């Protein structure tokens, strides 16, 4: 994996563990020679990842919609900053420029990015690993929900392994490196849908 899209919040929670973890992720990716593709912001977890990766000599590519540049949240010190018109274009650029996706704690925007990456993997728009870093149980409820969707039958057996979960970045990167693409919906016969 040469580059990973990193999905995370633009907020800085009061609990310092979240920002500290984001810094560690940025630094570790840079030290491993893995470029960061992210939302292009200078605030919150996004800014922490970018700054720490840059400080460690890493490549950091930001993708930011015009509306957020105008709000003065764009990070101006990146390796590259791509300004796009819409959030959809932003997510397409994440997919085009990365070899996989890592999701850190975040809010609704982070969830939108994660679910779209999973949905696109099911359909076959990409065959890249989708990782979820479950810092201190932040995503326990989401993981349980994923398992419920699978148990009920809304996530097919072929797709249950699309969400790659780990509690540490090292473990997550190892699992992502071993990822084997799933059979896509388009490859499944109509009788099996």
């Amino acid at each position: 994996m040469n580059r990973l899209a990193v999905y995370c919040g633009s907020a800085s929670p009061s609990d310092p563990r979240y920002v500290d973890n984001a810094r560690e992720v940025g630094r570790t990716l840079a030290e491993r020679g893995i470029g960061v593709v992210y939302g292009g912001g200078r605030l919150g977890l996004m800014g922490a990842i970018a700054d720490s990766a840059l400080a460690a000599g890493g490549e950091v590519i930001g993708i930011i919609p015009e509306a957020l540049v105008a709000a003065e949240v764009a990070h101006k010190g990146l390796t590259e900053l791509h300004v796009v018109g819409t959030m959809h274009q932003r997510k397409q650029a994440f997919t085009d420029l990365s070899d996989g996706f890592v999701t850190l704690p975040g809010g609704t925007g982070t969830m939108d990015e994660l679910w779209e990456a999973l949905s696109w993997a099911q359909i076959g728009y990409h065959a890249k690993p989708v990782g979820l870093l479950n810092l201190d149980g932040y995503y326990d409820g989401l993981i349980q929900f994923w398992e419920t969707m699978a148990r009920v039958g809304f996530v097919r057996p072929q797709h249950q392994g699309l969400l790659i979960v780990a509690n540490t970045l090292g473990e997550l990167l190892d699992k992502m490196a071993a990822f084997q693409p799933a059979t896509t919906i388009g490859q499944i016969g109509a009788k099996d849908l």
Side-chain angles (χ1 to χ4, degrees), residues 38-58:
Y38 86 117
R42 61 177 171 77
L43 304 175
L45 273 62
M46 282 202 281
I49 283 178
D51 289 342
S52 64
L54 290 166

Side-chain angles (χ1 to χ4, degrees), residues 114-126 130 146 162 185:
L114 170 65
W115 290 116
E116 186 156 301
L118 287 166
S119 176
W120 285 15
Q122 286 180 315
I123 295 168
Y125 290 172
H126 71 76
V130 181
W146 177 261
L162 289 176
I185 288 175

Side-chain angles (χ1 to χ4, degrees), residues 12-101:
S12 295
S14 59
D15 185 335
R17 292 178 300 171
Y18 294 103
V19 173
D20 291 346
N21 184 65
R23 287 185 183 119
E24 181 182 334
V25 167
R27 179 186 49 75
T28 301
L29 292 176
E31 289 172 353
R32 290 187 179 208
I34 300 172
V36 172
V37 180
Y38 86 117
R42 61 177 171 77
L43 304 175
L45 273 62
M46 282 202 281
I49 283 178
D51 289 342
S52 64
L54 290 166
E59 173 192 51
V60 181
I61 300 172
I63 314 293
I64 192 165
E66 292 175 43
L68 295 179
V69 172
E72 298 184 16
V73 298
H75 194 303
K76 304 294 186 180
L78 305 176
T79 309
E80 296 176 23
L81 180 64
H82 299 254
V83 178
V84 296
T86 66
M87 292 297 282
H88 179 74
Q89 291 170 332
R90 177 194 230 179
K91 291 182 287 186
Q92 182 66 58
F94 286 151
T95 303
D96 293 343
L97 294 172
S98 71
D99 301 311
F101 312 88

